[in-house]
Amino acid sequence: MPGTSATKAVSSTDPPPVAEELLTESRKHPGRWAGAGAVLLVAVFLIDSFAGAQIDWGVVRHYLGAGFLIEGLGMTLMLTLVAMVLGIVLGVLIAVMRLSKNPITSGVAWFYVWVFRGTPVYLQLLMWFNLALIFPMVSIPGIYSARTVDVMTPFVAAALGLGINQGAYTSEVVRAGILSVDEGQVEAAYAIGMGRLRTMYRVVLPQAMRVIVPPIGNETIGMLKTTSLASAVGVTEILLEAQHAYYVNNRIMELLIVCAIWYLAAVSVLSVAQFYLERHFAKGSSRPLPPTPLQRLRAAAGRKPVLR
Amino acid sequence: MPGTSATKAVSSTDPPPVAEELLTESRKHPGRWAGAGAVLLVAVFLIDSFAGAQIDWGVVRHYLGAGFLIEGLGMTLMLTLVAMVLGIVLGVLIAVMRLSKNPITSGVAWFYVWVFRGTPVYLQLLMWFNLALIFPMVSIPGIYSARTVDVMTPFVAAALGLGINQGAYTSEVVRAGILSVDEGQVEAAYAIGMGRLRTMYRVVLPQAMRVIVPPIGNETIGMLKTTSLASAVGVTEILLEAQHAYYVNNRIMELLIVCAIWYLAAVSVLSVAQFYLERHFAKGSSRPLPPTPLQRLRAAAGRKPVLR
Amino acid sequence: GTGGAASGSSSKNGLPAAVAQSGTLRVGMSPDFPPMEYVDEKTKNVVGVDVELVNALAKQLGVKVQIIQQSFDQLLNSVQTGRVDLVMSGLSDTAERQKTVDFVDYFGSQGRFYTLQSKAAKYTQPSAACGRTLAVSKKTDYYQQAVDFDKKYCSGAGKAAIKMLPTDSGSAARLQLEQGRAELAIQGAENLTYFEKQDPGKYEPVLSPLKSTPFGIVTKKGDSKMSGAVLKAMNALVKNGTYKRILTKNGMKYAIITPALNGRKG
Amino acid sequence: MTTSTTTSTTASPLLRAEAVHKYFGDHHVLRGIDLDVARGEVLCLLGPSGSGKSTFLRCINHLETIHSGRIWLGDETIGYRQQGARLVERPEREIVRQRRTMGMVFQRFNLFPHRTALQNVIEGPVQVRRENPKTARERGVRLLERVGLGDKFDAYPRQLSGGQQQRVAIARALAMEPQLMLFDEPTSALDPELVGEVLTVMKDLADSGLTMIVVTHEIGFAREVADRVAFMDGGRILEIGSPADVLDAPRHPRTRTFLSRVL
Amino acid sequence: MTTSTTTSTTASPLLRAEAVHKYFGDHHVLRGIDLDVARGEVLCLLGPSGSGKSTFLRCINHLETIHSGRIWLGDETIGYRQQGARLVERPEREIVRQRRTMGMVFQRFNLFPHRTALQNVIEGPVQVRRENPKTARERGVRLLERVGLGDKFDAYPRQLSGGQQQRVAIARALAMEPQLMLFDEPTSALDPELVGEVLTVMKDLADSGLTMIVVTHEIGFAREVADRVAFMDGGRILEIGSPADVLDAPRHPRTRTFLSRVL
Ligand SMILES: Nc1ncnc2c1ncn2[C@@H]1O[C@H](COP(=O)(O)OP(=O)(O)OP(=O)(O)O)[C@@H](O)[C@H]1O
Ligand SMILES: Nc1ncnc2c1ncn2[C@@H]1O[C@H](COP(=O)(O)OP(=O)(O)OP(=O)(O)O)[C@@H](O)[C@H]1O
Ligand SMILES: [Mg+2]
Ligand SMILES: [Mg+2]
């Protein structure tokens, strides 16, 4: 096949000379189907093993509808919500303090993270609940005064303990998020006359959310499970309810499996929420958004060109 | 002050006409000193309160040197190490699978994350430990066969349960890290003839580490505390040792405080490790490295120009 | 709300003023210990032998009972901080624990070795336990007793040591027995009675009972008014036969003791 | 195209820099900058990479502190207040107020990626000047139309070409109604074909009498639009004068080598 | 400066594209590209933004799949293998092998930021070609010296200017000893003063007889170095020929408007 010769102006009139007989095909993946088969086999085997195990699935079914476990789940969700809100508020505050140029501010923030991330949350819960060991009374002088044990109810202690502990972890996540925002954004905000604070919450934080949301999702799901520690101070969340039941009837695995099913349900709802939250904050970002399941369905239904 | 007039060529010979009498001074922060005072006061008050509380510090001091707690700490550290290594290996694997274009691969990875992130790790531990309820024997046909309860020692069950659970969380972190690496890096690697795998571990992962290390630090510190759940399957880690002691002598708060001190020490060591790890992977990144404490000291000692 | 914590003026039953005024006795319990205290699945109330006893006690004192559920780890702190007036949750009186709280002993608990009925025949003498795996809840006094037993009959006597398998509850210990990871377990005799009701013929106590340890009602250290009133009322229950009737009804005749303040010595 | 090609003016200058020095650590980046810019004047700043052009612009806006010297905007010193013989940094409140009187356009646009073009433009007026969102919107629309983006109100920055993004950035700066506009290489991140769009907009601004300092490598633009051209190197202004003088008959040898390479 | 200003050659072409079509979703980006590049030829590709120049280059390297058509490198079709009447994508192993015969230089350099200049250069030889690290080092040093960076072996990319980074990128591509070099606007992210450095290196490569396809807006470079110039618009090559013909006497009206704006 000899080269083409000298200058030529190609005609630009449609249609182009499409050589349809040379359509490409993307690579075949026979391994995929083998893989799918293997995975399916393993799954069937596992399901069969579980079904045949010394686990009484009738009991599982029975407790799945039990009102007291659902109430416990309600308490779990409530506590998760309160603790996460507190944790995020504190986390943002501490992260901003950590990044301050003022050595005292950043020192205080550093100390907070060190102490609360460094000690077991179980101890922190007990500390809050038993604050009366240290401060028997709480009072705002002249206005209000009460016995600490009356103020520090199980729920208050659990929410404070979990939330303040979470704040330490969240602050690290938020700090990484803030650092991920291009310095130029801050300068642009300053240049149109924004102060530090407004720059933070109008420009930096909304962009940091892209990096912040996924780990916070992780942490929320973690919190859902961590709330079970609150049973130490007498909050009757789902796991404690289950324990009360299995201390009596000894159906340990069955009741734990029921809890697992409820947790899985809650985690699934949270994951969906996270997915849409991530999409929301990805608005305007350079990486294209993954399609929502709905969009995927629609795409699968419609006709599309051949490409991969 | 009228404007300067027409063209002029300024002499470029040194020295410049520095008007030393107009040196600037950076903003004064009287609030800082007030803040420092306030923080110090609060700290003194808290320390005083704790010292005067119904906590017997003599007991704390006594148990701080107790050999059995230090042994327990050793077990805690060991378990943390094994579980994190397993978690990170699995996490990277699952993250890469999640990002695969192959729907089966990514589906399996998604399912793994859903199940193990979604169910309480406490249940997972019990499941592994009580695997014999489902599979009484483990065997590699023809080679090896044993009773499950003999294979699944407390430590093995705890390491598997914690590590596999951690893998689910870590995979989300690693996935975010991989996505944070510029697409151009992958193309550059492909263009010099690297395959997918080599591109992943030579080019993408080392750069993703910048984003991955801080949350993994969080998770490692979390794991340190989560290992206490392993006491459910009889691993005698530090908290269980402390419980053994306080079930006997009732010194609950004192022993928990001793644990907290040991945890804090371990967390401090981990934080230092994290700091240097972050510096290592920040090598060549565009954001300048924060100085190490050593460098800070040296800088404070040396003379420096006036600037903030 | 409370008035002054001044416990000066005493009332007819000898209770501290604050309790007498409120007319309610707040009792801390960790309902993880059937049949002593556990949560009834239907009513969600805490029930059990301790509950029956404390109700009788309160009746004697002329006050109502409010049961406050807490985890085991939290119970003693709650006495300390005044969150509850007393704790009655199957807690063993030990000399070590007397350093921080006071006990009014009311129940002579016995630890028992037990195993699956099919394997019970093997255990005829203490040395039969040597070298076996023993599941025992770490939260109970039995853990220490098992260690002592091992010292006395096994490792201390030149035989194979007992392999300890600590668990976080009595029921978890039982699960290990069922799976065959443990060959023996220890449980209070009161629990074993309860298991027998649940799964007749499955388990069997073996060997002789461990040393009897009294359960005590926990009051704040040095609050002699409270402990005195409780001791007085317990003695009254013994005298009028209520005490014996409740324990006998529950098949726990073995546990009858003479109430005493900090009765365990050494 | 502009009103006068000779230099400055009757009244006091809008901007005056006096002996401005700046260090980064030990690195002496600005070595005594003296400069007057008259109201309505367009000054183009040329110079090799690293000569301190961006740093000087950022000092004007107090995005960087200075080491010594003063920068006057009208009758106020920027960023610092003289107290007796001392120059003390102003509190944030005052610095923010001073920045509002200046607009800045960056080389890399720095649009807010999470806001549409119009939202970018009205962010300052609504958030900082507390303008009524409705009137701000109307003004924002007019500004976007003025820079030729009448159909891109709702596009996010990443949906715009570089030239379009830079024009949004200009509209965003104009929305604060600044007395002085600072441009830092506004076209150097653009494709050659797109440069023209932005330069056209800037020329219109110059014609409308806005005071502008423009760091640029576009010699053609400087020749056509600037009232004066300054050449910087090594943290000093080596030469300043009319475009004809500096660009076509540079006195300083460094200016000559630089121009020979860029042209 | 180059050996011949007329077009191609005696033997079969090194690269031949036949009716290459490419879609992004519904967007028909390449609409039938036919092109021959002879061994030793330097081809410059010109065209407005969005005309598909980068996409075509990426298809040559199989960084993008194509929809129909074939691209030959020597006597192999790139990325796909013909099996009867079907064009089936090759397994990864073969694609990787094919890519090794081509070097690519990107607009935004894409150096590995976590490796020094020298490490960037030897990454391919050591990791992909399994060369002995010591000989690879020696060759890397020579390559860096060839692009004028004899003193920057241990610098990380961020410590280098744009022009220096791009020269490292060229050295990295050369280290694989490619038969064909692809350049995608290698100078358009550079400051005007730095463009020269990179173009000089590229001119040296061209003079040494390397086959090159260069997407560029640098008309001066094209005129001086290219054997042929092609002009693309809307996914087609509208005009191809000697620089003199295409740049000074374009036949197509679209080429004329484009050149008038860029020049
Ligand atoms: N934040 C900083 N820290 C330390 N040095 C800096 C910083 N910013 C700039 N410099 C240094 O100050 C000098 C002047 O930089 P500046 O950005 O002002 O140059 P420029 O004239 O704008 O160059 P260019 O044309 O490349 O933008 C350079 O040597 C640069 O390395
Ligand atoms: N990954 C992609 N997905 C969808 N569309 C794309 C993608 N990459 C490029 N395009 C589109 O394909 C067309 C051709 O793009 P290409 O980058 O090849 O143009 P170009 O000639 O290189 O332009 P420029 O000079 O701006 O680099 C453009 O309309 C672009 O928007
Ligand atoms: Mg600059
Ligand atoms: Mg392109």
Side-chain angles (χ1 to χ4, degrees):
Chain A
M1 13 175 137
T4 48
S5 63
T7 302
K8 60 171 179 182
V10 185
S11 141
S12 75
T13 48
D14 283 313
V18 182
E20 280 301 339
E21 95 280 22
L22 286 177
L23 239 55
T24 63
E25 297 170 26
S26 60
R27 202 177 301 151
K28 291 295 161 290
H29 299 273
R32 281 193 197 180
W33 297 106
V39 167
L40 221 72
L41 265 173
V42 169
V44 166
F45 170 70
L46 280 179
I47 289 172
D48 184 62
S49 303
F50 269 86
Q54 296 174 35
I55 286 172
D56 188 336
W57 294 99
V59 172
V60 171
R61 247 191 316 277
H62 168 245
Y63 280 106
L64 210 49
F68 68 95
L69 285 179
I70 294 172
E71 268 169 44
L73 180 67
M75 176 53 90
T76 296
L77 293 176
M78 182 72 181
L79 193 55
T80 303
L81 181 75
V82 174
M84 281 312 293
V85 168
L86 182 60
I88 289 171
V89 169
L90 281 172
V92 171
L93 191 74
I94 297 292
V96 172
M97 284 172 70
R98 259 308 273 282
L99 292 170
S100 157
K101 284 208 203 76
N102 183 328
I104 292 155
T105 315
S106 71
V108 169
W110 178 90
F111 185 75
Y112 173 96
V113 172
W114 182 69
V115 167
F116 287 100
R117 206 168 65 146
T119 53
V121 65
Y122 184 72
L123 172 68
Q124 291 175 38
L125 282 173
L126 289 183
M127 276 281 183
W128 286 111
F129 196 54
N130 296 313
L131 199 65
L133 290 177
I134 300 168
F135 308 102
M137 305 290 288
V138 284
S139 60
I140 308 164
I143 303 175
Y144 175 82
S145 167
R147 288 204 319 157
T148 305
V149 285
D150 295 330
V151 177
M152 205 50 84
T153 65
F155 189 85
V156 170
L160 272 180
L162 294 174
I164 289 176
N165 181 68
Q166 184 58 44
Y169 285 86
T170 305
S171 79
E172 289 289 278
V173 170
V174 174
R175 189 163 66 96
I178 290 176
L179 288 176
S180 78
V181 176
D182 182 27
E183 188 65 20
Q185 291 291 314
V186 174
E187 303 206 329
Y190 285 175
I192 58 169
M194 288 190 175
R196 269 159 209 270
L197 258 183
R198 187 170 284 119
T199 300
M200 189 50 76
Y201 75 77
R202 290 287 302 176
V203 175
V204 176
L205 284 180
Q207 293 181 56
M209 288 310 276
R210 269 211 334 280
V211 177
I212 291 175
V213 169
I216 292 278
N218 254 0
E219 309 245 304
T220 307
I221 287 168
M223 178 59 82
L224 196 73
K225 271 85 67 60
T226 307
T227 52
S228 68
L229 287 180
S231 66
V233 298
V235 176
T236 48
E237 42 67 62
I238 183 167
L239 207 62
L240 184 61
E241 294 279 13
Q243 282 173 336
H244 283 159
Y246 72 62
Y247 285 138
V248 175
N249 67 12
N250 219 19
R251 300 291 192 180
I252 299 184
M253 294 314 270
E254 286 83 356
L255 272 151
L256 285 177
I257 287 173
V258 172
C259 290
I261 292 172
W262 280 120
Y263 277 120
L264 261 184
V267 167
S268 305
V269 172
L270 283 178
S271 301
V272 171
Q274 177 180 343
F275 180 81
Y276 283 95
L277 214 63
E278 278 182 35
R279 280 184 64 82
H280 173 78
F281 284 111
K283 193 178 58 184
S285 92
S286 59
R287 200 172 281 277
L289 299 175
T292 62
L294 240 132
Q295 291 172 341
R296 245 178 256 207
L297 269 181
R298 237 180 265 141
R303 59 314 56 92
K304 276 270 140 185
V306 192
L307 303 171
R308 50 164 176 175
Chain B
M1 15 175 135
T4 50
S5 61
T7 303
K8 61 174 179 180
V10 186
S11 140
S12 74
T13 47
D14 282 311
V18 182
E20 278 301 338
E21 94 279 23
L22 286 177
L23 238 55
T24 62
E25 298 171 24
S26 60
R27 203 177 299 152
K28 290 295 162 288
H29 298 273
R32 280 193 198 180
W33 295 106
V39 166
L40 221 73
L41 266 173
V42 170
V44 166
F45 170 69
L46 281 178
I47 289 171
D48 185 61
S49 303
F50 269 84
Q54 296 176 35
I55 286 170
D56 189 336
W57 294 98
V59 173
V60 172
R61 246 192 316 278
H62 169 248
Y63 279 106
L64 211 48
F68 68 97
L69 285 179
I70 294 172
E71 269 168 43
L73 181 68
M75 176 55 87
T76 296
L77 293 177
M78 184 71 183
L79 193 54
T80 303
L81 181 75
V82 173
M84 281 313 293
V85 168
L86 182 60
I88 289 171
V89 169
L90 281 172
V92 171
L93 191 74
I94 297 292
V96 172
M97 284 172 71
R98 259 305 275 281
L99 292 171
S100 157
K101 284 210 202 76
N102 184 328
I104 292 155
T105 316
S106 72
V108 168
W110 179 89
F111 184 77
Y112 173 96
V113 172
W114 183 70
V115 167
F116 287 100
R117 207 169 65 145
T119 51
V121 65
Y122 183 73
L123 171 69
Q124 291 174 37
L125 283 173
L126 289 183
M127 275 281 184
W128 287 110
F129 194 53
N130 297 318
L131 198 66
L133 290 178
I134 300 169
F135 306 101
M137 304 291 286
V138 285
S139 60
I140 308 164
I143 303 175
Y144 175 82
S145 166
R147 287 204 318 157
T148 305
V149 286
D150 295 332
V151 177
M152 204 49 82
T153 65
F155 188 86
V156 170
L160 272 181
L162 293 174
I164 290 176
N165 180 69
Q166 183 59 42
Y169 286 86
T170 305
S171 79
E172 289 289 276
V173 171
V174 174
R175 190 165 65 97
I178 291 175
L179 288 177
S180 78
V181 176
D182 183 27
E183 188 65 20
Q185 291 291 314
V186 175
E187 303 206 329
Y190 285 174
I192 59 170
M194 287 191 177
R196 269 158 210 271
L197 258 183
R198 188 171 283 120
T199 300
M200 187 52 75
Y201 76 75
R202 290 287 302 177
V203 175
V204 176
L205 284 179
Q207 293 182 55
M209 288 309 276
R210 266 209 340 276
V211 177
I212 291 175
V213 168
I216 292 277
N218 254 0
E219 310 245 302
T220 307
I221 287 168
M223 177 60 81
L224 196 73
K225 271 86 67 56
T226 307
T227 51
S228 68
L229 288 180
S231 68
V233 297
V235 177
T236 49
E237 42 67 62
I238 183 168
L239 207 62
L240 182 63
E241 294 280 13
Q243 285 174 336
H244 285 328
Y246 71 63
Y247 285 133
V248 173
N249 67 11
N250 264 358
R251 301 290 192 177
I252 298 180
M253 294 313 268
E254 285 84 354
L255 273 152
L256 285 176
I257 287 173
V258 172
C259 291
I261 291 172
W262 280 120
Y263 278 121
L264 261 182
V267 167
S268 305
V269 172
L270 283 178
S271 302
V272 171
Q274 178 180 342
F275 179 82
Y276 282 95
L277 215 61
E278 279 183 36
R279 280 182 64 83
H280 173 78
F281 284 111
K283 191 179 58 182
S285 92
S286 60
R287 201 171 279 278
L289 299 174
T292 63
L294 241 131
Q295 291 172 339
R296 245 177 255 209
L297 269 182
R298 239 180 265 140
R303 65 299 71 87
K304 275 271 141 184
V306 193
L307 303 172
R308 55 169 167 171
Chain C
T2 58
S7 51
S9 66
S10 80
S11 61
K12 55 180 186 332
N13 45 27
L15 281 172
V19 182
Q21 263 168 34
S22 71
T24 307
L25 192 63
R26 294 167 305 165
V27 180
M29 282 190 183
S30 171
D32 55 2
F33 193 35
M36 299 306 284
E37 48 266 314
Y38 58 97
V39 176
D40 183 282
E41 210 176 281
K42 305 253 156 46
T43 63
K44 301 310 289 172
N45 290 330
V46 180
V47 295
V49 179
D50 276 344
V51 178
E52 288 179 45
L53 283 172
V54 83
N55 280 334
L57 190 75
K59 202 166 158 203
Q60 187 67 32
L61 289 166
V63 288
K64 283 188 305 221
V65 172
Q66 184 193 355
I67 291 173
I68 296 176
Q69 299 180 27
Q70 277 171 349
S71 74
F72 190 87
D73 286 4
Q74 174 57 35
L75 288 173
L76 296 166
N77 279 324
S78 290
V79 178
Q80 222 77 276
T81 56
R83 209 180 268 281
V84 299
D85 300 311
L86 49 84
V87 163
M88 192 162 171
S89 195
L91 251 77
S92 300
D93 175 10
T94 66
E96 189 67 37
R97 287 177 174 171
Q98 283 169 18
K99 288 181 190 161
T100 49
V101 289
D102 286 332
F103 288 95
V104 176
D105 300 346
Y106 68 99
F107 187 98
S109 169
Q110 273 181 351
R112 295 297 309 257
F113 287 94
Y114 73 106
T115 185
L116 296 174
Q117 199 177 42
S118 52
K119 305 203 174 132
K122 278 192 269 188
Y123 301 95
T124 50
Q125 56 191 29
S127 61
C130 298
R132 309 272 179 198
T133 307
L134 172 68
V136 53
S137 165
K138 76 208 175 198
K139 284 189 187 168
T140 59
D141 199 29
Y142 305 136
Y143 191 83
Q144 191 55 44
Q145 292 201 31
V147 172
D148 294 343
F149 179 95
D150 176 59
K151 282 217 186 84
K152 189 164 167 200
Y153 295 106
C154 300
S155 59
K159 298 212 175 65
I162 293 177
K163 290 186 217 104
M164 303 290 268
L165 182 62
T167 64
D168 67 350
S169 68
S171 24
R174 215 167 355 141
L175 198 59
Q176 297 316 314
L177 204 59
E178 276 174 36
Q179 281 187 83
R181 185 179 264 119
E183 298 163 279
L184 274 174
I186 299 185
Q187 192 68 285
E190 46 282 357
N191 299 86
L192 289 178
T193 327
Y194 180 73
F195 295 167
E196 185 59 26
K197 252 189 270 172
Q198 295 254 307
D199 282 316
K202 185 157 185 191
Y203 306 104
E204 176 103 1
V206 293
L207 308 180
S208 48
L210 292 165
K211 193 172 56 177
S212 163
T213 54
F215 288 162
I217 298 170
V218 178
T219 61
K220 192 167 178 175
K221 184 87 202 148
D223 187 353
S224 54
K225 200 153 245 156
M226 191 63 173
S227 52
V230 169
L231 182 60
K232 207 169 116 205
M234 269 312 295
N235 280 326
L237 291 183
V238 171
K239 209 171 280 165
N240 68 20
T242 316
Y243 174 70
K244 187 171 173 190
R245 183 169 48 75
I246 291 174
L247 291 189
T248 313
K249 185 187 83 182
N250 284 290
M252 300 172 179
K253 229 173 154 173
Y254 66 89
I256 292 173
I257 58 168
T258 310
L261 182 63
N262 293 333
R264 181 95 171 259
K265 304 289 179 225
Chain D
M1 300 288 138
T2 43
T3 41
S4 77
T5 324
T6 66
T7 39
S8 42
T9 44
T10 48
S12 67
L14 176 63
L15 184 95
R16 155 163 289 185
E18 291 176 358
V20 174
H21 285 260
K22 165 80 189 165
Y23 290 83
F24 283 116
D26 289 333
H27 184 15
H28 197 167
V29 177
L30 298 183
R31 297 165 171 258
I33 303 276
D34 292 286
L35 181 73
D36 282 5
V37 179
R39 265 170 234 282
E41 184 178 2
V42 176
L43 178 85
C44 279
L45 210 53
L46 262 64
S49 185
S51 56
K53 308 179 297 292
S54 299
T55 304
F56 179 51
L57 234 52
R58 294 160 54 78
C59 287
I60 295 178
N61 214 351
H62 201 64
L63 288 174
E64 299 282 359
T65 56
I66 63 179
H67 172 253
S68 64
R70 281 175 297 190
I71 302 175
W72 297 82
L73 186 77
D75 50 9
E76 267 193 351
T77 45
I78 292 172
Y80 301 89
R81 187 170 24 206
Q82 192 153 5
Q83 294 179 341
R86 298 159 60 216
L87 272 181
V88 180
E89 195 171 9
R90 293 173 185 268
E92 195 191 4
R93 195 168 11 86
E94 289 184 24
I95 289 174
V96 163
R97 173 178 57 72
Q98 291 183 330
R99 283 199 190 120
R100 281 180 212 162
T101 61
M102 293 176 268
M104 182 141 181
V105 176
F106 299 88
Q107 177 179 8
R108 297 219 54 85
F109 329 145
N110 291 351
L111 291 182
F112 303 134
H114 58 306
R115 305 213 187 279
T116 63
L118 185 57
Q119 285 170 345
N120 262 283
V121 173
I122 65 172
E123 182 74 11
V126 173
Q127 289 292 318
V128 178
R129 306 209 323 183
R130 299 266 158 235
E131 248 175 57
N132 174 315
K134 205 164 143 287
T135 55
R137 269 194 113 66
E138 281 162 14
R139 224 156 51 75
V141 166
R142 278 203 304 281
L143 280 167
L144 281 173
E145 277 163 357
R146 179 165 168 198
V147 298
L149 290 172
D151 51 343
K152 296 286 184 187
F153 302 145
D154 296 327
Y156 283 100
R158 71 171 180 108
Q159 298 166 326
L160 298 174
S161 77
Q164 292 167 335
Q165 286 189 50
Q166 193 60 297
R167 285 183 282 157
V168 175
I170 293 173
R172 178 173 69 175
L174 290 177
M176 298 301 286
E177 300 182 332
Q179 299 175 37
L180 172 65
M181 282 284 279
L182 308 170
F183 292 87
D184 192 0
E185 306 196 24
T187 60
S188 71
L190 299 178
D191 271 349
E193 268 201 311
L194 305 176
V195 168
E197 310 174 350
V198 174
L199 291 183
T200 309
V201 169
M202 288 172 62
K203 201 158 136 335
D204 287 350
L205 292 181
D207 290 348
S208 75
L210 192 63
T211 316
M212 291 163 52
I213 303 181
V214 184
V215 174
T216 186
H217 292 296
E218 297 291 334
I219 308 293
F221 175 83
R223 195 190 306 278
E224 195 179 350
V225 178
D227 296 306
R228 284 191 300 162
V229 171
F231 178 74
M232 270 185 84
D233 193 23
R236 292 208 189 78
I237 294 183
L238 295 188
E239 189 157 0
I240 185 165
S242 72
D245 289 344
V246 175
L247 298 177
D248 301 329
R251 300 190 181 187
H252 204 285
R254 184 69 188 88
T255 318
R256 276 198 288 274
T257 36
F258 176 80
L259 287 173
S260 74
R261 279 206 248 150
V262 171
L263 278 175
Chain E
M1 301 284 139
T2 40
T3 42
S4 78
T5 325
T6 64
T7 40
S8 42
T9 46
T10 48
S12 66
L14 177 64
L15 184 94
R16 155 163 288 186
E18 291 175 359
V20 173
H21 286 259
K22 164 81 188 164
Y23 290 81
F24 282 116
D26 289 333
H27 184 16
H28 197 166
V29 178
L30 298 183
R31 297 166 171 255
I33 303 277
D34 292 288
L35 181 74
D36 282 5
V37 179
R39 268 171 231 279
E41 184 177 2
V42 176
L43 178 86
C44 280
L45 210 53
L46 261 63
S49 185
S51 56
K53 308 179 296 294
S54 299
T55 305
F56 178 53
L57 234 52
R58 294 159 55 78
C59 287
I60 295 178
N61 214 352
H62 201 63
L63 289 174
E64 300 281 359
T65 57
I66 64 180
H67 172 252
S68 65
R70 282 176 296 191
I71 304 175
W72 297 83
L73 186 76
D75 48 10
E76 267 194 351
T77 46
I78 292 171
Y80 301 89
R81 185 171 25 205
Q82 193 153 4
Q83 294 179 342
R86 299 160 60 217
L87 272 179
V88 179
E89 196 172 7
R90 291 172 185 268
E92 195 190 4
R93 196 169 11 88
E94 288 185 23
I95 288 174
V96 164
R97 174 179 55 73
Q98 292 184 327
R99 282 198 191 123
R100 280 179 213 165
T101 61
M102 293 175 268
M104 180 142 182
V105 176
F106 300 88
Q107 177 180 9
R108 298 218 54 84
F109 328 146
N110 293 350
L111 291 181
F112 304 134
H114 57 305
R115 306 213 186 277
T116 62
L118 185 57
Q119 286 169 345
N120 263 283
V121 174
I122 65 172
E123 181 75 11
V126 173
Q127 289 293 319
V128 178
R129 309 208 321 182
R130 300 266 158 235
E131 249 175 58
N132 175 316
K134 208 166 142 285
T135 55
R137 268 194 114 66
E138 281 162 13
R139 225 158 48 77
V141 167
R142 278 203 305 280
L143 279 167
L144 281 174
E145 276 162 357
R146 179 166 169 197
V147 298
L149 290 172
D151 51 344
K152 298 285 183 186
F153 302 144
D154 295 328
Y156 284 101
R158 71 170 180 107
Q159 297 167 326
L160 299 173
S161 77
Q164 292 168 335
Q165 287 189 48
Q166 194 61 296
R167 284 183 282 158
V168 175
I170 293 173
R172 179 174 67 177
L174 290 177
M176 297 301 287
E177 301 182 331
Q179 301 175 34
L180 172 65
M181 282 284 279
L182 308 170
F183 292 88
D184 192 2
E185 305 195 26
T187 61
S188 70
L190 300 179
D191 272 348
E193 267 201 312
L194 305 176
V195 169
E197 309 175 353
V198 174
L199 291 181
T200 309
V201 170
M202 288 171 62
K203 199 156 134 344
D204 286 352
L205 293 180
D207 290 347
S208 76
L210 194 62
T211 316
M212 292 163 50
I213 303 182
V214 184
V215 174
T216 186
H217 291 295
E218 297 291 334
I219 308 293
F221 175 83
R223 195 190 307 278
E224 195 177 350
V225 178
D227 295 307
R228 282 191 302 162
V229 172
F231 178 74
M232 270 185 84
D233 193 21
R236 293 209 189 77
I237 294 182
L238 295 189
E239 190 157 0
I240 185 165
S242 72
D245 289 343
V246 175
L247 297 177
D248 300 328
R251 299 191 182 185
H252 205 283
R254 183 69 188 89
T255 319
R256 275 197 290 273
T257 36
F258 176 80
L259 288 172
S260 74
R261 279 205 250 151
V262 171
L263 280 174

